[in-house]
Amino acid sequence: MTAFGIAPMAPDAAELPRRTLIQTLAAPDIEAQLDELATHAIGLTRAEATRSSDTPDSLLRRAGAFDPAAAAFLRNDPMGRRVLQGRAGKMVHLTADASGQVQKIVVRFPAEKVEQQSSHFTRLTIERDGMVFRARTEVAPLQAQVALGSGSIRTSLFAATDDANIPDAIASQMADMFSGDIDFHRELRKGDRFSIVYETLTADGEPINWDGGVGRLLAGEFTNNGKTYSAVYFKDSASGKASFYGFDGQSKRRAFLASPMEFSRITSGFAMRFHPILNTWRQHNGVDYGAPTGTAVRSVGDGVVEMAGWQNGFGNVVHIRHAGDRTTVYAHLSKIDVKKGQRIEQGQRLGAVGATGWATGPHLHFEFRVGGRHMDPRAIARASEAITLPNYAKAQFQQTVASVKTQLAVAETMDGVSAAD
């Protein structure tokens, strides 16, 4: 047997010597402090958004500044005029001194180049330099911030996302994400629930207010009629291609999209119907989507433009030939954005909804033909072959899934609300 004893090595605190220290601290001079405050310039910074009815004076007045020189600069200088030129909604941060004199104006708005608008913004900076103002512009990248949201269906998908403060652009992406699992036109049920993770975009840390202010949908879960579907956005770092995948690695993307528009109302399905112009019962060989004139129309699959122009009752129409002797038709367009012989990718814009040809109102007539025979487009989309996840990407994919599962679990607790992560 072995026994151990432990003795404290430190001295007893009660036996330590004690000392009292007294030190006089110099009090700051009150007069000096008052003089310092008197020389300190108080600045006011205020954020505003430009309005279509704004003038330089009304904008400055609303931002708490009274500065005729600054108003004149915004009115007369070519760079200064850009603050109120173009569409309204530009983000304005104005700094003025205590007298209302403008010291600095920073304006943020979409990048001028169309290809940069989803990823960059323009920053216009106007600064006072003595008696004059100097202005400069630069293009800067937008920053993504993760947001969470959830909701339940009472009447429609967009009503539910509105209640949860989820942008329409994200609602449309969610409809696309689960379009292969759920027919949002026919199968949506009261009480269905969803939870999502998505990006909001910021310019210099401020949420943008143009183009929906959002990036992409990152992940989602949707419970429809008691069955839950899960999906995540995944980009293959090797090929650069991205798509929605189920948590099991099966792609949600198929060779053909379920709809030629992001989300819309079906006004006439693939069935017998009473023709509104001919006043007879006839087989409707396609699907009609009601949407406002100008709504973007996209190709449901990769292919080549076989025809783009005017065709009798179809009005402005585009025919796309796909692999496997399959053809899609997009009719009554108000505008055509492609040319015959052009190669098209899935999701690429073809034109815009209209009411040309035999149409009683703005809508898209969409057909799917296999070997010249008309088929139900929605049935074809569901039965089409899926895009598979490469083996080398599966480890990276599983890491992405593990990350979004935690976020979705939090989102599920946020019933009817949306918030930044």
Side-chain angles (χ1 to χ4, degrees):
M1 296 180 61
T2 304
F4 294 92
I6 300 175
M9 300 299 294
D12 188 347
E15 298 177 356
L16 293 175
R18 301 178 183 180
R19 291 185 299 170
T20 301
L21 295 177
I22 300 175
Q23 184 175 357
T24 303
L25 300 177
D29 183 24
I30 299 299
E31 293 295 332
Q33 293 185 62
L34 292 175
D35 291 341
E36 185 68 24
L37 287 173
T39 60
H40 180 71
I42 299 175
L44 168 69
T45 299
R46 185 163 178 172
E48 286 290 340
T50 61
R51 304 172 183 174
S52 57
S53 59
D54 265 335
T55 64
D57 296 281
S58 68
L59 175 62
L60 296 181
R61 186 167 53 250
R62 196 166 67 252
F66 177 76
D67 192 333
F73 184 84
L74 299 183
R75 190 179 295 112
N76 301 319
D77 184 84
M79 195 80 75
R81 285 200 297 267
R82 295 186 63 184
V83 175
L84 294 177
Q85 283 178 343
R87 64 179 180 177
K90 294 177 181 176
M91 300 160 58
V92 179
H93 278 69
L94 183 146
T95 302
D97 60 20
S99 66
Q101 189 178 71
V102 173
Q103 300 301 310
K104 186 176 183 179
I105 303 174
V106 179
V107 188
R108 300 174 180 89
F109 49 94
E112 294 180 343
K113 294 181 179 179
V114 176
E115 62 271 21
Q116 288 187 315
Q117 290 180 356
S118 62
S119 58
H120 290 73
F121 71 98
T122 299
R123 184 193 298 120
L124 168 59
T125 304
I126 300 171
E127 292 184 278
R128 178 181 289 276
D129 183 7
M131 300 299 294
V132 299
F133 288 94
R134 305 193 186 282
R136 67 182 186 275
T137 61
E138 51 198 327
V139 177
L142 292 166
Q143 300 296 322
Q145 181 179 3
V146 175
L148 311 176
S150 69
S152 58
I153 304 298
R154 292 181 175 85
T155 56
S156 69
L157 176 64
F158 280 105
T161 53
D162 285 346
D163 289 343
N165 295 318
I166 294 171
D168 285 352
I170 294 298
S172 295
Q173 291 183 47
M174 181 165 60
D176 265 352
M177 172 184 274
F178 295 110
S179 62
D181 302 310
I182 305 166
D183 186 339
F184 283 90
H185 300 287
R186 295 180 175 181
E187 297 176 354
L188 212 56
R189 298 287 185 270
K190 184 177 180 179
D192 288 354
R193 291 187 52 79
F194 60 85
S195 301
I196 58 172
V197 181
Y198 63 97
E199 290 178 335
T200 59
L201 301 178
T202 63
D204 293 335
E206 295 290 332
I208 66 172
N209 54 9
W210 60 82
D211 296 334
V214 296
R216 63 174 61 91
L217 178 61
L218 300 177
E221 285 189 341
F222 204 109
T223 300
N224 170 242
N225 200 23
K227 186 174 181 180
T228 299
Y229 304 93
S230 303
V232 60
Y233 174 88
F234 178 73
K235 184 174 183 179
D236 182 355
S237 57
S239 67
K241 292 186 177 181
S243 184
F244 292 125
Y245 291 85
F247 287 175
D248 59 358
Q250 294 297 312
S251 175
K252 294 291 184 180
R253 183 191 175 199
R254 296 183 177 273
F256 295 99
L257 298 173
S259 170
M261 287 186 287
E262 286 189 339
F263 195 74
S264 60
R265 178 172 57 92
I266 292 181
T267 53
S268 184
F270 187 82
M272 291 292 293
R273 67 161 183 174
F274 189 76
H275 198 283
I277 295 179
L278 301 179
N279 293 321
T280 60
W281 283 94
R282 300 183 62 178
Q283 170 67 31
H284 190 230
N285 291 322
V287 176
D288 288 349
Y289 295 89
T293 298
T295 302
V297 176
R298 61 187 182 175
S299 173
V300 296
D302 298 343
V304 177
V305 179
E306 191 174 54
M307 189 265 184
W310 186 272
Q311 186 180 24
N312 301 324
F314 277 168
N316 288 325
V317 63
V318 172
H319 292 225
I320 305 292
R321 178 164 291 280
H322 310 278
D325 198 18
R326 294 172 289 195
T327 304
T328 51
V329 179
Y330 313 77
H332 306 308
L333 303 174
S334 62
K335 182 183 179 183
I336 295 176
D337 296 322
V338 294
K339 297 179 180 179
K340 182 178 179 180
Q342 182 178 343
R343 183 164 293 280
I344 298 297
E345 294 183 358
Q346 185 183 77
Q348 184 172 336
R349 180 182 170 123
L350 304 175
V353 169
T356 56
W358 296 351
T360 57
H363 73 283
L364 173 73
H365 174 78
F366 175 62
E367 294 183 4
F368 203 112
R369 304 172 185 174
V370 180
R373 182 186 174 191
H374 291 90
M375 306 292 288
D376 185 344
R378 289 164 298 172
I380 290 291
R382 286 193 170 189
S384 63
E385 56 273 21
I387 309 300
T388 58
L389 181 71
N391 287 331
Y392 65 79
K394 289 184 177 179
Q396 180 188 358
F397 173 77
Q398 290 302 326
Q399 291 178 353
T400 302
V401 170
S403 174
V404 299
K405 276 185 176 181
T406 302
Q407 294 171 312
L408 285 171
V410 175
E412 192 174 357
T413 67
M414 304 166 54
D415 190 21
V417 296
S418 177
D421 187 11

